[in-house]
Coordinates of all heavy atoms in Angstrom, one line a residue:
E148 N 24.2 109.4 211.7 CA 24.7 108.3 210.9 C 23.6 107.8 210.0 O 22.9 106.9 210.2 CB 25.1 107.2 211.9 CG 26.2 107.6 212.8 CD 26.5 106.5 213.9 OE1 25.9 105.4 213.8 OE2 27.3 106.8 214.7
S149 N 23.4 108.5 208.9 CA 22.3 108.3 208.0 C 22.7 107.3 206.9 O 23.8 107.2 206.4 CB 21.8 109.6 207.3 OG 22.9 110.2 206.6
T150 N 21.7 106.5 206.5 CA 21.9 105.5 205.4 C 21.7 106.3 204.1 O 20.8 107.1 204.0 CB 20.8 104.4 205.5 OG1 21.0 103.7 206.8 CG2 21.0 103.4 204.4
R151 N 22.5 106.0 203.1 CA 22.4 106.7 201.8 C 21.1 106.6 201.1 O 20.5 107.5 200.6 CB 23.6 106.3 200.9 CG 23.7 107.2 199.6 CD 25.0 106.7 198.8 NE 24.8 105.4 198.3 CZ 24.2 105.2 197.1 NH1 23.7 106.2 196.4 NH2 24.2 104.0 196.6
R152 N 20.6 105.3 201.0 CA 19.3 105.1 200.3 C 18.5 104.2 201.3 O 18.3 103.0 201.2 CB 19.5 104.3 199.0 CG 20.1 105.2 197.9 CD 20.5 104.4 196.7 NE 19.4 103.6 196.2 CZ 18.5 104.1 195.3 NH1 18.6 105.4 194.9 NH2 17.5 103.3 194.9
P153 N 17.9 104.9 202.4 CA 17.2 104.1 203.4 C 15.9 103.5 202.9 O 15.3 104.0 202.0 CB 17.0 105.2 204.5 CG 16.9 106.4 203.7 CD 17.9 106.3 202.6
L154 N 15.5 102.5 203.6 CA 14.2 101.8 203.3 C 13.1 102.8 203.8 O 13.1 103.2 204.9 CB 14.1 100.5 204.1 CG 12.8 99.7 203.9 CD1 12.6 99.3 202.5 CD2 12.9 98.5 204.9
R155 N 12.2 103.1 202.9 CA 11.1 104.0 203.2 C 9.7 103.4 203.1 O 8.8 104.0 203.7 CB 11.2 105.2 202.2 CG 12.5 106.0 202.2 CD 12.4 107.2 201.4 NE 13.7 107.9 201.3 CZ 14.2 108.7 202.3 NH1 13.5 108.9 203.4 NH2 15.3 109.3 202.2
K156 N 9.5 102.3 202.4 CA 8.2 101.8 202.3 C 8.2 100.3 202.2 O 9.1 99.7 201.5 CB 7.5 102.4 201.0 CG 6.1 101.8 200.8 CD 5.5 102.4 199.5 CE 4.1 101.9 199.3 NZ 3.5 102.5 198.0
I157 N 7.3 99.6 202.9 CA 7.2 98.2 202.9 C 5.7 97.9 202.6 O 4.8 98.3 203.2 CB 7.6 97.5 204.2 CG1 9.1 97.8 204.5 CG2 7.4 96.0 204.0 CD1 9.5 97.1 205.8
T158 N 5.5 97.1 201.5 CA 4.2 96.5 201.2 C 4.1 95.1 201.8 O 5.0 94.3 201.5 CB 3.9 96.5 199.7 OG1 4.0 97.8 199.2 CG2 2.6 95.9 199.4
L159 N 3.1 94.9 202.6 CA 2.9 93.6 203.3 C 1.9 92.8 202.5 O 0.8 93.2 202.3 CB 2.5 93.8 204.7 CG 3.5 94.7 205.6 CD1 2.8 95.0 206.9 CD2 4.8 94.0 205.8
A160 N 2.3 91.6 202.1 CA 1.4 90.7 201.3 C 0.4 90.0 202.2 O 0.8 89.5 203.3 CB 2.3 89.7 200.5
V161 N -0.8 89.9 201.7 CA -1.8 89.0 202.3 C -2.3 88.1 201.2 O -2.2 88.4 200.0 CB -3.0 89.8 202.8 CG1 -2.5 90.8 203.9 CG2 -3.7 90.7 201.7
P162 N -2.8 86.9 201.6 CA -3.0 85.8 200.6 C -4.1 86.2 199.5 O -3.9 85.9 198.3 CB -3.5 84.6 201.4 CG -2.9 84.9 202.8 CD -2.9 86.4 202.9
N163 N -5.2 86.8 199.9 CA -6.3 87.1 199.0 C -6.9 88.5 199.3 O -6.6 89.1 200.3 CB -7.4 86.1 199.3 CG -7.0 84.6 199.1 OD1 -6.7 84.2 198.0 ND2 -6.9 83.9 200.2
R164 N -7.7 88.9 198.3 CA -8.3 90.3 198.4 C -9.2 90.3 199.7 O -9.3 91.4 200.3 CB -9.1 90.6 197.2 CG -8.2 90.8 195.9 CD -9.1 91.2 194.7 NE -9.7 92.5 195.0 CZ -9.2 93.7 194.8 NH1 -8.0 93.8 194.4 NH2 -9.9 94.8 195.0
R165 N -9.9 89.2 200.0 CA -10.8 89.3 201.2 C -10.0 89.4 202.5 O -10.6 89.7 203.5 CB -11.6 88.0 201.2 CG -10.8 86.7 201.4 CD -11.8 85.5 201.5 NE -11.0 84.3 201.6 CZ -10.7 83.5 200.5 NH1 -11.0 83.9 199.3 NH2 -10.0 82.4 200.7
D166 N -8.7 89.3 202.4 CA -7.8 89.5 203.6 C -7.4 90.9 203.8 O -6.7 91.3 204.8 CB -6.6 88.6 203.6 CG -6.9 87.1 203.6 OD1 -7.8 86.7 204.4 OD2 -6.4 86.3 202.8
L167 N -7.7 91.8 202.8 CA -7.2 93.1 202.9 C -7.7 93.9 204.1 O -6.9 94.6 204.7 CB -7.5 93.9 201.6 CG -6.8 93.4 200.3 CD1 -7.3 94.1 199.1 CD2 -5.3 93.7 200.4
A168 N -8.9 93.8 204.4 CA -9.5 94.5 205.5 C -8.8 94.1 206.8 O -8.5 95.0 207.6 CB -11.0 94.4 205.6
V169 N -8.7 92.8 207.0 CA -8.0 92.3 208.2 C -6.6 92.8 208.3 O -6.1 93.3 209.3 CB -8.0 90.8 208.3 CG1 -7.1 90.3 209.4 CG2 -9.5 90.3 208.5
G170 N -5.9 92.8 207.2 CA -4.5 93.2 207.1 C -4.4 94.7 207.4 O -3.4 95.1 208.1
E171 N -5.3 95.5 206.8 CA -5.2 97.0 207.0 C -5.4 97.3 208.5 O -4.8 98.2 209.0 CB -6.1 97.7 206.1 CG -5.6 97.6 204.6 CD -6.7 98.2 203.7 OE1 -7.8 98.6 204.1 OE2 -6.3 98.3 202.5
R172 N -6.4 96.7 209.1 CA -6.6 97.0 210.6 C -5.4 96.6 211.4 O -5.0 97.4 212.3 CB -7.9 96.2 211.0 CG -9.2 96.8 210.7 CD -10.3 96.2 211.5 NE -10.5 94.8 211.3 CZ -11.2 94.2 210.4 NH1 -11.8 94.9 209.5 NH2 -11.2 92.8 210.3
A173 N -4.9 95.4 211.1 CA -3.7 95.0 211.9 C -2.5 96.0 211.6 O -1.7 96.3 212.5 CB -3.3 93.6 211.5
M174 N -2.4 96.4 210.4 CA -1.3 97.3 210.0 C -1.5 98.7 210.8 O -0.5 99.2 211.3 CB -1.3 97.6 208.5 CG -0.3 98.6 208.0 SD -0.5 99.1 206.3 CE -2.1 100.0 206.4
N175 N -2.7 99.2 210.8 CA -2.9 100.4 211.5 C -2.7 100.3 213.0 O -2.1 101.2 213.6 CB -4.3 100.9 211.2 CG -4.5 101.4 209.8 OD1 -3.6 101.8 209.1 ND2 -5.7 101.3 209.3
T176 N -3.1 99.2 213.6 CA -2.8 99.0 215.0 C -1.3 98.9 215.3 O -0.8 99.5 216.2 CB -3.6 97.8 215.5 OG1 -5.0 97.9 215.3 CG2 -3.3 97.6 217.0
G177 N -0.7 98.1 214.4 CA 0.8 97.9 214.6 C 1.5 99.2 214.5 O 2.5 99.5 215.2
R178 N 1.1 100.1 213.5 CA 1.8 101.3 213.3 C 1.5 102.3 214.5 O 2.5 103.0 214.9 CB 1.2 102.0 212.0 CG 1.9 103.3 211.7 CD 1.7 103.7 210.3 NE 0.3 103.5 209.9 CZ -0.1 103.4 208.6 NH1 0.8 103.4 207.6 NH2 -1.4 103.3 208.3
A179 N 0.3 102.3 215.1 CA 0.1 103.2 216.2 C 0.9 102.7 217.4 O 1.5 103.5 218.1 CB -1.4 103.1 216.6
I180 N 1.0 101.4 217.6 CA 1.8 100.9 218.7 C 3.3 101.2 218.5 O 4.0 101.7 219.4 CB 1.6 99.4 218.9 CG1 0.2 99.1 219.3 CG2 2.7 98.8 219.9 CD1 -0.1 97.6 219.4
A181 N 3.7 101.1 217.2 CA 5.1 101.3 216.9 C 5.5 102.8 217.1 O 6.6 103.1 217.6 CB 5.4 100.9 215.5
E182 N 4.6 103.7 216.8 CA 4.8 105.1 217.0 C 4.8 105.5 218.5 O 5.6 106.3 218.9 CB 3.8 105.9 216.2 CG 4.1 105.8 214.7 CD 3.0 106.5 213.9 OE1 2.0 107.0 214.5 OE2 3.1 106.6 212.6
G183 N 3.9 104.8 219.2 CA 3.9 105.0 220.7 C 5.2 104.5 221.3 O 5.8 105.2 222.2
V184 N 5.7 103.4 220.9 CA 7.0 102.8 221.3 C 8.1 103.8 221.0 O 9.0 104.1 221.8 CB 7.2 101.4 220.7 CG1 8.7 101.0 221.0 CG2 6.3 100.4 221.4
H185 N 8.1 104.3 219.7 CA 9.1 105.3 219.3 C 9.2 106.5 220.2 O 10.2 106.9 220.6 CB 8.8 105.7 217.9 CG 9.9 106.5 217.2 ND1 10.6 106.0 216.1 CD2 10.4 107.7 217.5 CE1 11.5 106.9 215.7 NE2 11.4 107.9 216.6
L186 N 8.0 107.0 220.6 CA 7.9 108.2 221.5 C 8.5 107.8 222.8 O 9.4 108.6 223.4 CB 6.5 108.6 221.6 CG 6.3 109.7 222.7 CD1 7.0 111.0 222.4 CD2 4.8 110.0 222.8
A187 N 8.1 106.7 223.4 CA 8.7 106.3 224.7 C 10.2 106.1 224.6 O 10.9 106.5 225.6 CB 8.0 105.0 225.1
R188 N 10.7 105.5 223.6 CA 12.1 105.3 223.4 C 12.9 106.7 223.4 O 13.9 106.8 224.0 CB 12.5 104.5 222.2 CG 11.9 103.0 222.3 CD 12.3 102.2 221.0 NE 13.6 101.7 221.1 CZ 14.2 101.0 220.1 NH1 13.4 100.8 219.0 NH2 15.4 100.6 220.2
D189 N 12.3 107.6 222.6 CA 12.9 108.9 222.5 C 13.0 109.6 223.8 O 14.0 110.2 224.2 CB 12.2 109.8 221.5 CG 12.5 109.5 220.0 OD1 13.4 108.7 219.8 OD2 11.9 110.1 219.1
L190 N 11.9 109.5 224.6 CA 11.8 110.2 225.9 C 12.9 109.5 226.8 O 13.6 110.2 227.5 CB 10.4 110.1 226.5 CG 9.3 110.8 225.8 CD1 8.0 110.5 226.4 CD2 9.5 112.3 225.8
G191 N 12.9 108.2 226.8 CA 13.9 107.5 227.7 C 15.3 107.7 227.3 O 16.2 107.8 228.2
N192 N 15.6 107.8 226.1 CA 17.0 108.0 225.6 C 17.5 109.4 225.8 O 18.7 109.7 225.7 CB 17.2 107.6 224.2 CG 17.1 106.1 224.0 OD1 17.5 105.3 224.9 ND2 16.6 105.6 222.9
T193 N 16.6 110.4 226.0 CA 17.0 111.8 226.2 C 17.7 111.9 227.5 O 17.3 111.5 228.6 CB 15.8 112.7 226.2 OG1 15.1 112.6 224.9 CG2 16.2 114.1 226.4
P194 N 18.9 112.5 227.6 CA 19.7 112.6 228.8 C 19.0 113.5 229.9 O 18.2 114.3 229.6 CB 21.0 113.2 228.3 CG 20.7 114.0 227.1 CD 19.6 113.2 226.4
G195 N 19.4 113.2 231.1 CA 18.8 113.8 232.2 C 19.0 115.3 232.3 O 18.2 116.0 233.0
N196 N 20.0 115.9 231.7 CA 20.2 117.3 231.7 C 19.2 118.0 230.8 O 19.0 119.2 230.9 CB 21.6 117.7 231.4 CG 22.1 117.3 230.0 OD1 21.7 116.2 229.6 ND2 22.9 118.0 229.4
T197 N 18.6 117.3 229.9 CA 17.5 117.8 229.1 C 16.1 117.3 229.6 O 15.2 118.1 229.7 CB 17.7 117.4 227.6 OG1 18.9 118.0 227.1 CG2 16.5 117.8 226.8
C198 N 16.0 116.0 229.8 CA 14.8 115.5 230.3 C 14.6 115.7 231.8 O 15.0 114.9 232.6 CB 14.7 114.0 230.0 SG 13.2 113.2 230.5
T199 N 14.1 116.8 232.1 CA 13.8 117.2 233.5 C 12.3 117.1 233.7 O 11.5 116.9 232.8 CB 14.2 118.6 233.8 OG1 13.4 119.5 232.9 CG2 15.7 118.8 233.5
P200 N 11.8 117.2 234.9 CA 10.3 117.1 235.1 C 9.6 118.2 234.3 O 8.5 117.9 233.7 CB 10.2 117.4 236.6 CG 11.4 116.8 237.2 CD 12.5 117.1 236.2
A201 N 10.1 119.4 234.2 CA 9.5 120.5 233.4 C 9.5 120.1 232.0 O 8.5 120.3 231.3 CB 10.2 121.8 233.7
W202 N 10.6 119.5 231.5 CA 10.7 119.1 230.1 C 9.7 118.0 229.8 O 9.0 118.0 228.7 CB 12.1 118.7 229.7 CG 12.3 118.3 228.3 CD1 12.6 119.2 227.3 CD2 12.3 117.0 227.7 NE1 12.8 118.5 226.1 CE2 12.6 117.2 226.3 CE3 12.0 115.8 228.2 CZ2 12.6 116.1 225.5 CZ3 12.0 114.7 227.4 CH2 12.3 114.8 226.0
L203 N 9.5 117.1 230.7 CA 8.6 116.0 230.5 C 7.2 116.5 230.4 O 6.4 116.1 229.6 CB 8.7 115.0 231.7 CG 8.3 113.6 231.4 CD1 9.0 112.9 230.2 CD2 8.6 112.7 232.7
A204 N 6.9 117.5 231.3 CA 5.6 118.1 231.2 C 5.3 118.8 229.9 O 4.2 118.8 229.3 CB 5.4 119.1 232.4
E205 N 6.4 119.4 229.3 CA 6.3 120.1 228.0 C 6.0 119.1 226.9 O 5.2 119.3 226.0 CB 7.5 120.9 227.7 CG 7.5 121.7 226.4 CD 6.3 122.7 226.3 OE1 5.9 123.2 227.4 OE2 5.8 122.8 225.2
Q206 N 6.6 117.9 227.0 CA 6.4 116.8 226.0 C 4.9 116.4 226.1 O 4.3 116.1 225.0 CB 7.3 115.7 226.2 CG 8.8 116.0 226.2 CD 9.2 116.9 225.0 OE1 9.0 116.5 223.9 NE2 9.7 118.1 225.4
A207 N 4.4 116.3 227.3 CA 3.0 115.9 227.4 C 2.1 117.0 226.8 O 1.1 116.6 226.1 CB 2.6 115.7 228.9
R208 N 2.4 118.2 227.0 CA 1.6 119.3 226.4 C 1.7 119.3 224.8 O 0.7 119.5 224.1 CB 2.0 120.7 226.9 CG 1.5 120.9 228.3 CD 1.8 122.4 228.7 NE 3.2 122.6 229.1 CZ 3.6 122.4 230.3 NH1 2.8 122.1 231.3 NH2 4.9 122.6 230.6
E209 N 2.9 119.0 224.3 CA 3.0 118.8 222.9 C 2.2 117.7 222.3 O 1.6 117.8 221.2 CB 4.5 118.6 222.5 CG 5.3 119.9 222.6 CD 6.7 119.7 222.1 OE1 7.0 118.6 221.5 OE2 7.6 120.5 222.4

Side-chain angles (χ1 to χ4, degrees):
E148 299 174 4
S149 58
T150 303
R151 188 174 67 86
R152 290 170 56 85
L154 179 62
R155 299 188 184 281
K156 180 181 178 181
I157 300 178
T158 298
L159 302 171
V161 297
N163 302 291
R164 291 184 62 83
R165 63 177 177 269
D166 297 314
L167 288 173
V169 170
E171 287 174 357
R172 281 196 301 272
M174 177 191 69
N175 290 332
T176 301
R178 181 163 47 202
I180 293 172
E182 290 173 354
V184 167
H185 190 115
L186 172 62
R188 295 178 81 182
D189 279 356
L190 294 173
N192 288 328
T193 300
N196 59 326
T197 296
C198 180
T199 62
W202 183 86
L203 205 55
E205 183 58 34
Q206 304 313 298
R208 283 189 283 269
E209 287 186 10

